[in-house]
Amino acid sequence: MKIGIDKIGFHVPEYFLDMTDLANARETDPNKFHIGLGQDQMAIIPATQDIVTLGASAAAKILTDEDKQSIDMVIVGTESSTDFSKSAASIIHDLLAIQPYARSFEIKHACYGGTAALQQAHDYVALHPDRKVLVIATDIAKYGLNSGGEPTQGCGAVAMLVTNDPHILASNDDSVFYSEDVYDFWRPAGHDYPEVDGHLSNQIYIDSFTRIWEQNKIINHTTSSDYAALTFHLPYTKMGRKALRAIFPEMDETEQQRLEARYDEAILYSRQVGNLYTGSLYLGLISLLDNSKLTSGDRIGLFSYGSGAVSEFFSMTLMENYQDYLNVEKNKALLADRTALTIEAYEKMFSEKLPVEEKEYHFNDATPFAINKTKGFIRYYNK
């Protein structure tokens, strides 16, 4: 039985900041952002939109009414939750009008949450082949104005429909995982922004990949030549490239060039969006599918990493005629049609927050699923 991704889509807000403008405002060489980090643009979200807005918008693009009647599990992976108790999944379940007899819950482990959700969805469908699971990875990466992490911010969501006999990608059920207790990135309760040990985080990321890559070769008996492409978690696009190049010594130059060419195709969207935390690996996957000339039967390797730390490497195989189920033109139009912000407008939007008082407030954001009201610490969304 083949289980995997039947449909996949993403959503980002309608605003972005050009990284050259940010570099000039921070009196920094733009090449540090464009080349050093591998980032060209950064998605910016207004206060009237959040992970629910992003996640519901991503899912709405791929679901039919028939899907909504067949889905009986909604899983949201996020590290940007707006509530310590109530799950964003229950709100998204309602906004999308998915049939009521369904489970809905959140999963958290830094940037790994989306992969944990995807694997749980796979296991559920394996036991219930006639069911469908909606997996959403949705996050807002914020580090603060003028902070060291500012140029690696971003936001967005990826939605995946996991089913039996999928149209796009089938799991090869070959996951290899690795965990260790380390404080490279964390956000204690009461902190608006995460604490980051940047040097340690980069090193743990690369070390985790090389360890898990070696374990994968032992367990699954594969080499780089078995994969049409390798995709990575992308906190910034240069990070995944460093990990990829860490295993270059075992390849000849032709193999290195082949995998790096696929990597360049997989980061095209992330260069324009920034960090999606849980969704970054899967935005890279969408970019690869949209921009590469792959064929059915090709095997794609995916490296997922979540600080703290856990990592997983697994692979999926492209289905026959998978191209017919992609949304290439719509995806590219979404990125092309956004509005560029000035530095002043970006800093103003970044600093705006929803009221935290109990009384009622109304807002005029007509964006689908945007927050239109807060009352009694409850957010009300457009439907």
Side-chain angles (χ1 to χ4, degrees), residues 18-91:
D18 188 276
M19 298 303 283
T20 295
D21 293 339
L22 179 62
N24 291 336
R26 303 298 181 248
E27 299 182 343
T28 298
D29 181 356
N31 285 333
K32 290 184 178 180
F33 297 165
H34 293 290
I35 299 174
L37 295 176
Q39 297 300 136
D40 298 322
Q41 298 172 347
M42 182 168 69
I44 308 298
I45 190 167
T48 48
Q49 299 175 32
D50 60 12
I51 60 167
V52 168
T53 307
L54 296 171
S57 297
K61 295 176 181 180
I62 65 171
L63 298 181
T64 64
D65 289 339
E66 182 181 355
D67 291 329
K68 295 174 185 179
Q69 292 304 309
S70 301
I71 292 168
D72 67 351
M73 183 179 288
V74 180
I75 315 176
V76 170
T78 186
E79 59 176 286
S80 310
S81 187
T82 60
D83 194 290
F84 283 113
S85 180
K86 184 177 175 64
S87 168
S90 61
I91 306 172

Side-chain angles (χ1 to χ4, degrees), residues 6-313:
D6 188 59
K7 298 179 181 181
I8 188 168
F10 77 94
H11 182 76
V12 295
E14 61 269 43
Y15 305 104
F16 75 92
L17 179 68
D18 188 276
M19 298 303 283
T20 295
D21 293 339
L22 179 62
N24 291 336
R26 303 298 181 248
E27 299 182 343
T28 298
D29 181 356
N31 285 333
K32 290 184 178 180
F33 297 165
H34 293 290
I35 299 174
L37 295 176
Q39 297 300 136
D40 298 322
Q41 298 172 347
M42 182 168 69
I44 308 298
I45 190 167
T48 48
Q49 299 175 32
D50 60 12
I51 60 167
V52 168
T53 307
L54 296 171
S57 297
K61 295 176 181 180
I62 65 171
L63 298 181
T64 64
D65 289 339
E66 182 181 355
D67 291 329
K68 295 174 185 179
Q69 292 304 309
S70 301
I71 292 168
D72 67 351
M73 183 179 288
V74 180
I75 315 176
V76 170
T78 186
E79 59 176 286
S80 310
S81 187
T82 60
D83 194 290
F84 283 113
S85 180
K86 184 177 175 64
S87 168
S90 61
I91 306 172
I92 292 173
H93 168 269
D94 176 69
L95 291 175
L96 296 174
I98 291 171
Q99 63 88 17
Y101 297 99
R103 291 175 176 149
S104 59
F105 56 94
E106 264 180 40
I107 289 181
K108 184 200 78 172
H109 186 120
C111 299
Y112 175 75
T115 298
L118 180 63
Q119 298 297 359
Q120 184 151 357
H122 171 278
D123 292 350
Y124 181 74
V125 174
L127 293 174
H128 308 281
D130 59 330
R131 314 284 179 86
K132 297 179 180 181
V133 180
L134 175 62
V135 171
I136 295 173
T138 177
D139 270 302
I140 301 169
K142 297 182 76 170
Y143 298 97
L145 299 176
N146 291 286
S147 67
E150 185 180 27
T152 64
Q153 297 177 140
C155 56
V158 173
M160 296 172 277
L161 187 64
V162 178
T163 70
N164 175 33
D165 194 21
H167 285 111
I168 299 178
L169 286 157
S171 170
N172 292 316
D173 199 18
D174 58 356
S175 288
V176 181
F177 12 81
Y178 173 78
S179 293
E180 61 179 308
D181 184 14
V182 59
Y183 279 87
D184 58 327
F185 177 106
W186 68 106
R187 182 160 67 92
H191 288 233
D192 289 335
Y193 306 124
E195 299 292 319
V196 185
D197 185 331
H199 177 75
L200 177 61
S201 187
N202 290 345
Q203 192 59 52
I204 293 294
Y205 178 107
I206 295 172
D207 288 348
S208 293
F209 174 65
T210 55
R211 284 177 178 144
I212 212 168
W213 175 256
E214 292 301 317
Q215 187 73 356
N216 175 63
K217 290 193 295 183
I218 293 170
I219 293 176
N220 293 311
H221 309 290
T222 57
T223 66
S224 61
S225 62
D226 292 303
Y227 302 93
L230 297 176
T231 56
F232 293 79
H233 167 56
L234 299 170
Y236 54 92
T237 68
K238 192 67 172 289
M239 186 71 255
R241 192 183 302 277
K242 291 178 181 178
L244 174 62
R245 289 180 175 178
I247 61 172
F248 271 7
E250 66 186 63
M251 309 173 199
D252 62 29
E253 186 175 352
T254 299
E255 182 75 350
Q256 294 173 10
Q257 292 174 350
R258 179 183 72 84
L259 288 176
E260 191 139 37
R262 300 292 80 73
Y263 183 84
D264 288 338
E265 293 159 346
I267 64 173
L268 289 173
Y269 292 168
S270 292
R271 289 189 70 99
Q272 302 174 67
V273 174
N275 195 352
L276 271 68
Y277 285 160
T278 54
S280 70
L281 168 61
Y282 301 101
L283 181 62
L285 176 62
I286 295 172
S287 182
L288 176 72
L289 298 178
D290 284 1
N291 295 290
S292 293
K293 294 182 179 179
L294 301 171
T295 60
S296 60
D298 279 349
R299 187 178 193 175
I300 299 172
L302 299 96
F303 173 67
S304 182
Y305 176 79
S307 293
V310 63
S311 55
E312 181 167 346
F313 183 84

